[in-house]
Amino acid sequence: MQNKVFLIAQPNSGKTTLFNLLAHENHYVANWPGKTVEVFHAKIKHHGKEILLIDLPGINSFKALGKEENLTKEFLLKEDEGVAVVLVNGESLYRSIYFAVQVLELKSRAILVINKSDHLERKGVHINLEIMKDKLGVEVVQISALHGTGVNRLLDRIIDVLEGRVKGKGFRIDYGVLEPYIAKAEELLGRRGLAIKAIEGEEEVIALLSEDKKSAVEEIRKEIEEKFANPEEIIATHRHRFVENLLNIAVKEVKVAKESFEEKLDRIFFSKFGALFSLLILFGMLYVAFTVNTGFPMNILMRYLGYEAIADFLESYSLSGIISLIFESIAEILNSLLPDSALKSLLINGILAGIGAVATFFPLILILNFLMSLVEDSGVMARIAISMDRFFSLFGLTGKSVFPFSVNLACNVPGVMASRILESDGERLRVALASPFLICQARLLVIVLFAFFFLKSPALQSGIVILIYLLSALLFLTATRIYGKAVKEETAELLIELPPYHFPSAKVVWWISWERSKSFILKIATLLLLFSILAWIMDYFGFASFIGAFIAKIFSPLGLEDPRLGFALLMGFFAKELIISSLAVSFGTSSLAEISSQLALNTAQTLALLIFIAFYTPCIATISAIKSEVRSYRLITLSIAFQLLVAYGLALLIFFLFSI
């Protein structure tokens, strides 16, 4: 079997616990080839991929080793074979990482695993895995082997490395004055890692060399000693400096709150009203984020109470309002300066419209992720998961599902990716597939704008938004049950270690907020810009009306027969924001009031349109994210078809109810 995975760690790192967790009852003992040392093996499967897991003996260091430790050392000095999973003890980060960097110098196909995350959480220690990954040049995963958390994520990364989807950039420490000498030794031995070990005086490496090469290495060592100092000491100093710097920039320990405060809050979270308290926190964050970004729902509340001036202020001076005003001003300036031409139309209606959509949505996602990270970093999110566990268990889920549930309310792309925290494959796949039913901000903004401009009654405006959110949650939970018939529905149990309450760290909050929000720029922003340009091209050359007319026939039972609206719904399949930009291009105006007037939809038609927009496939980026998680075209096709069927069926029902 070629898919070999080797577990390597210092003693007491939890390596045996991890091996037993992965191996279940499938492990066996066999002698290492050419040795009398017995090593544990296990054949396991993950996503249909068979893996031979090998538990190498624990090794404290590269010095004074016994027979079993020498076996591990021998493996490390060989050419790369399989994938090395290097376990780091979360209780002694400095010592473990110092050992790990020596392994990474020798093994390029490796994954660093930080174990005992439960201990780190209790101590208020946060590790920025992205910084670790960047500095070490390999995938970095955080787990608790004792509680089984993060193990599925580890197996996913192992498969990625085995199949070549993830390739480390290679680990390298700059040894300063020794670099020219390391380069000379590397020419002799062929590998940088072996060259460093030879200069350190590693006997097992030198024993592999011919007499000529031994002499050459010895000359290099002597020259270093004469010019500088003992090469082993120089190398150790640089390694220690590297590890200290890495821990300084990637690890943050925050102040833990007093026990009495923790007990008071826990009494609320774990009471019979805990789930309601948790929902108030989550929806309170949504309320703040949406009000700051769009003015909604505070604007509707103010208008309902008769404070029109405050409502107008919130709408005009929300972040999205300010950004839209800036781009409208730029468009007006360009329109007055540039002569009429296809290039001018492309620049204003295609490129500028696309960039404007990106700029409008990014602050919304960043702020909500910021608020979510405050809750996570304070230790509150674990309590929310436990308080919601009983409710989610009715649908075969654990309380941990509240986390991807909440992230999906910001954006479905990171929401789908957040399903990786779920421990069972069945729960993870079901949540990923059902995530598109949860309303993200992109759809929310379209829904709010359409409700505001297409419906006249404030009560109906707020009522339809509330109804859509309630339907969204119900559809998500119901869909996870339905998808359980298509995937292996495992019994999920909540395994979670309660971290202590602590004050959120600004540094950690920024790490979390930015890492989640940048996926918007990397995945969604590019698509928005490209498809905005595509919408302009199709409209400019007359394809939009032809395609729109064909699609409009499908929606004629809903009274939505305008080809321009049909084309906008097609573009909404790629990104919901494109519904507005494509309508703006088709109608020749960015004013939704003018577009609403020209469409002249009645209440039943508008409500049907809003329901369909809310629940059909959110965007192509979400489909891409689901594909990366489920890795099955059959399940992706099933998911898209189910979303379209549900969206159309509900829209048809709403249309007939309000047409009576």
Side-chain angles (χ1 to χ4, degrees):
M1 179 187 291
Q2 296 301 313
N3 297 322
K4 292 182 180 179
V5 174
F6 300 85
L7 296 183
I8 302 167
Q10 293 177 305
N12 303 316
S13 296
K15 178 170 61 65
T16 301
T17 304
L18 177 60
F19 179 84
N20 290 334
L21 181 67
L22 295 174
H24 302 296
E25 301 298 323
N26 302 319
H27 66 273
Y28 60 96
V29 180
N31 281 341
W32 188 260
K35 304 283 182 182
T36 57
V37 178
E38 291 183 337
V39 175
F40 282 100
H41 297 68
K43 289 182 179 179
I44 62 174
K45 273 193 174 181
H46 187 67
H47 292 316
K49 190 86 171 178
E50 194 170 46
I51 298 168
L52 178 60
L53 190 66
I54 301 168
D55 183 16
L56 292 173
I59 173 173
N60 266 307
S61 71
F62 282 79
K63 298 292 181 184
L65 305 174
K67 183 169 66 173
E68 290 190 345
E69 292 175 307
N70 265 318
L71 185 151
T72 302
K73 184 175 176 181
E74 178 184 296
F75 163 76
L76 293 173
L77 298 176
K78 284 182 180 177
E79 290 289 334
D80 278 356
E81 178 186 12
V83 173
V85 172
V86 189
L87 225 62
V88 166
N89 186 349
E91 293 179 339
S92 55
L93 280 175
Y94 189 100
R95 178 172 171 267
S96 288
I97 290 179
Y98 184 86
F99 169 76
V101 298
Q102 295 181 71
V103 176
L104 296 180
E105 284 185 319
L106 294 164
K107 292 292 176 184
S108 58
R109 294 184 74 203
I111 298 173
L112 189 81
V113 181
I114 301 171
N115 192 21
K116 304 186 181 180
S117 60
D118 47 333
H119 167 82
L120 294 170
E121 287 176 346
R122 283 195 302 271
K123 294 293 185 181
V125 176
H126 297 269
I127 301 175
N128 189 321
L129 301 183
E130 286 298 316
I131 290 178
M132 283 270 191
K133 177 181 173 181
D134 181 60
K135 296 295 182 183
L136 297 174
V138 296
E139 290 293 309
V140 181
V141 180
Q142 193 167 331
I143 70 165
S144 170
L146 182 63
H147 297 284
T149 54
V151 174
N152 269 314
R153 188 160 58 251
L154 169 60
L155 288 170
D156 285 344
R157 299 293 80 75
I158 287 172
I159 296 296
D160 287 338
V161 175
L162 283 171
E163 294 183 345
R165 282 191 298 276
V166 172
K167 294 181 181 179
K169 64 180 184 180
F171 174 67
R172 183 187 181 102
I173 293 175
D174 185 353
Y175 288 104
V177 295
L178 296 188
E179 283 300 324
Y181 302 99
I182 292 173
K184 285 182 184 178
E186 188 177 357
E187 288 179 7
L188 294 171
L189 281 72
R191 289 168 58 196
R192 178 180 170 86
L194 289 181
I196 294 168
K197 284 295 173 192
I199 290 174
E200 282 185 285
E202 185 64 58
E203 293 179 0
E204 281 76 6
V205 175
I206 294 173
L208 298 173
L209 305 179
S210 65
E211 290 301 320
D212 289 342
K213 289 183 178 179
K214 283 181 185 178
S215 298
V217 169
E218 191 57 32
E219 285 299 319
I220 291 172
R221 283 175 50 79
K222 284 182 181 178
E223 189 175 344
I224 293 171
E225 282 197 21
E226 290 170 1
K227 287 188 175 181
F228 307 106
N230 185 307
E232 189 175 359
E233 292 176 0
I234 297 174
I235 289 172
T237 299
H238 279 82
R239 282 204 192 111
H240 281 294
R241 195 176 297 154
F242 173 85
V243 174
E244 286 172 359
N245 181 59
L246 177 64
L247 294 180
N248 281 336
I249 62 174
V251 178
K252 177 72 176 177
E253 186 169 355
V254 296
K255 183 180 178 182
V256 177
K258 294 180 181 178
E259 188 70 16
S260 58
F261 174 68
E262 185 176 68
E263 288 176 343
K264 289 177 184 177
L265 273 180
D266 280 352
R267 262 199 302 272
I268 300 172
F269 274 114
F270 305 139
S271 70
K272 60 182 178 180
F273 301 108
L276 179 61
F277 183 58
S278 297
L279 286 175
L280 286 174
I281 292 173
L282 293 174
F283 282 99
M285 290 190 301
L286 293 175
Y287 188 91
V288 171
F290 294 157
T291 297
V292 170
N293 282 277
T294 65
F296 175 87
M298 181 65 84
N299 60 335
I300 289 179
L301 178 62
M302 291 296 104
R303 190 164 276 115
Y304 180 77
L305 295 174
Y307 299 108
E308 291 286 338
I310 297 177
D312 291 339
F313 178 83
L314 288 171
E315 290 161 8
S316 300
Y317 295 99
S318 64
L319 283 178
S320 63
I322 293 170
I323 292 170
S324 296
L325 183 62
I326 291 171
F327 277 89
E328 285 173 11
S329 301
I330 294 172
E332 288 176 6
I333 293 170
L334 291 175
N335 190 46
S336 62
L337 293 177
L338 299 176
D340 290 338
S341 66
L343 182 61
K344 172 184 175 180
S345 178
L346 171 62
L347 181 62
I348 296 174
N349 299 321
I351 296 173
L352 196 61
I355 295 173
V358 174
T360 300
F361 285 106
F362 184 69
L364 188 59
I365 289 175
L366 183 62
I367 289 176
L368 190 53
N369 281 329
F370 171 77
L371 294 173
M372 287 291 296
S373 64
L374 286 177
V375 174
E376 290 174 56
D377 191 40
S378 63
V380 170
M381 184 55 79
R383 271 82 181 172
I384 291 176
I386 292 173
S387 67
M388 298 295 294
D389 187 58
R390 182 178 296 179
F391 173 72
F392 276 97
S393 67
L394 298 174
F395 300 88
L397 304 173
T398 64
K400 269 193 174 182
S401 292
V402 76
F403 180 69
F405 178 95
S406 304
V407 175
N408 270 295
L409 297 174
C411 179
N412 291 137
V413 174
V416 170
M417 294 175 177
S419 66
R420 294 175 182 176
I421 72 163
L422 303 175
E423 301 309 321
S424 76
D425 266 355
E427 184 179 12
R428 183 174 62 83
L429 292 174
R430 287 185 289 135
V431 168
L433 289 167
S435 289
F437 282 114
L438 292 169
I439 304 300
C440 59
Q441 290 112 315
R443 279 178 285 178
L444 175 68
L445 190 58
V446 176
I447 291 165
V448 168
L449 289 173
F450 276 29
F452 180 75
F453 285 104
F454 288 32
L455 297 170
K456 304 304 177 188
S457 165
L460 198 55
Q461 290 171 359
S462 56
I464 188 62
V465 175
I466 293 170
L467 173 64
I468 284 172
Y469 263 105
L470 292 175
L471 272 175
S472 170
L474 180 62
L475 286 172
F476 167 79
L477 294 169
T478 305
T480 61
R481 269 297 191 198
I482 294 171
Y483 288 134
K485 309 297 181 183
V487 303
K488 182 182 178 184
E489 187 169 5
E490 303 164 346
T491 302
E493 295 182 4
L494 182 64
L495 297 171
I496 191 168
E497 184 81 17
L498 274 182
Y501 291 101
H502 51 261
F503 298 103
S505 158
K507 190 175 182 181
V508 173
V509 166
W510 171 247
W511 285 347
I512 298 172
S513 304
W514 175 246
E515 286 304 319
R516 290 189 187 146
S517 301
K518 75 178 182 182
S519 65
F520 176 86
I521 292 293
L522 298 175
K523 290 200 170 190
I524 300 178
T526 305
L527 286 168
L528 280 177
L529 183 56
L530 289 175
F531 282 105
S532 291
I533 295 171
L534 177 63
W536 175 86
I537 292 171
M538 296 179 78
D539 183 74
Y540 187 81
F541 290 101
F543 299 127
S545 58
F546 174 75
I547 297 171
F550 175 78
I551 293 173
K553 291 179 182 178
I554 301 172
F555 292 95
S556 58
L558 305 177
L560 307 174
E561 299 178 351
D562 193 302
R564 295 168 293 188
L565 186 56
F567 179 71
L569 291 175
L570 172 65
M571 297 308 295
F573 182 87
F574 299 103
K576 286 295 173 285
E577 303 89 333
L578 295 175
I579 292 176
I580 295 174
S581 60
S582 61
L583 284 174
V585 171
S586 298
F587 282 88
T589 176
S590 60
S591 169
L592 277 177
E594 178 63 27
I595 292 171
S596 170
S597 175
Q598 292 189 47
L599 281 174
L601 301 179
N602 60 33
T603 299
Q605 292 168 328
T606 300
L607 294 177
L609 175 64
L610 289 173
I611 290 292
F612 185 79
I613 289 172
F615 297 120
Y616 83 103
T617 308
C619 64
I620 202 74
T622 299
I623 295 173
S624 175
I626 293 174
K627 179 183 176 297
S628 69
E629 296 305 314
V630 306
R631 299 174 185 173
S632 166
Y633 286 106
R634 178 181 70 85
L635 290 176
I636 292 170
T637 304
L638 172 67
S639 172
I640 294 171
F642 185 53
Q643 291 160 34
L644 290 172
L645 180 64
V646 168
Y648 193 87
L650 286 175
L652 196 60
L653 176 63
I654 288 290
F655 178 74
F656 280 116
L657 286 176
F658 280 84
S659 296
I660 296 172

